[in-house]
Amino acid sequence: MDNLPEPVRVVRLPDGTYAYADHLPAIQPTAAAPQVVHQHIHQAPPDRTVQRIALGSGIGAGTVAAGVYFGPLLVGALTAIAANLALLAFLAAVLAWGVVSVVKSVGGPDGKAAAKTLSKARRGRKGK
């Protein structure tokens, strides 16, 4: 039994928290003279111009946060819409080409004339 460590003491500090007695800092005498700290600051006060420009006049941080949050969402939504429209335009062009090709090959002389009329109509719309 002689080789067991001492039991750890728990002490209640003046602020109401508990701490282990072996972890307490060394206690200095309270009657010691206060230390005078000479602090030399060689720095200008912070410039708030950037914050004023970022927030604007009368605009709060909530507006800036909303822009930061919803900005990328808006860009993503617009990109998705543009991709869908590009796909639809590509499908329309492929379908129009397919219709013209089928009409040319199946229709004989009337089909060739109809395809020629169709291609002229398409070229006329592209110029406008």
Side-chain angles (χ1 to χ4, degrees):
M1 292 275 186
D2 293 336
N3 58 357
L4 292 176
E6 283 187 33
V8 180
R9 282 189 29 217
V10 177
V11 180
R12 186 171 185 179
L13 299 176
D15 62 353
T17 59
Y18 293 93
Y20 292 110
D22 58 345
H23 292 292
L24 291 176
I27 300 173
Q28 296 178 354
T30 55
Q35 294 180 343
V36 178
V37 177
H38 294 282
Q39 188 175 11
H40 300 280
I41 300 175
H42 300 283
Q43 182 180 0
D47 185 16
R48 304 224 183 253
T49 306
V50 175
Q51 292 175 3
R52 288 189 186 111
I53 291 171
L55 293 176
S57 177
I59 295 177
T63 306
V64 174
V68 168
Y69 181 75
F70 289 112
L73 289 177
L74 179 64
V75 169
L78 292 177
T79 303
I81 291 169
N84 288 338
L85 290 177
L87 181 65
L88 288 175
F90 177 73
L91 284 175
V94 168
L95 289 175
W97 174 79
V99 168
V100 169
S101 297
V102 168
V103 169
K104 271 187 188 178
S105 63
V106 173
D110 291 335
K112 289 182 182 176
K116 195 173 188 180
T117 305
L118 239 168
S119 66
K120 280 183 185 178
R122 269 197 339 205
R123 271 190 248 131
R125 285 189 189 145
K126 287 183 183 175
K128 290 184 180 178

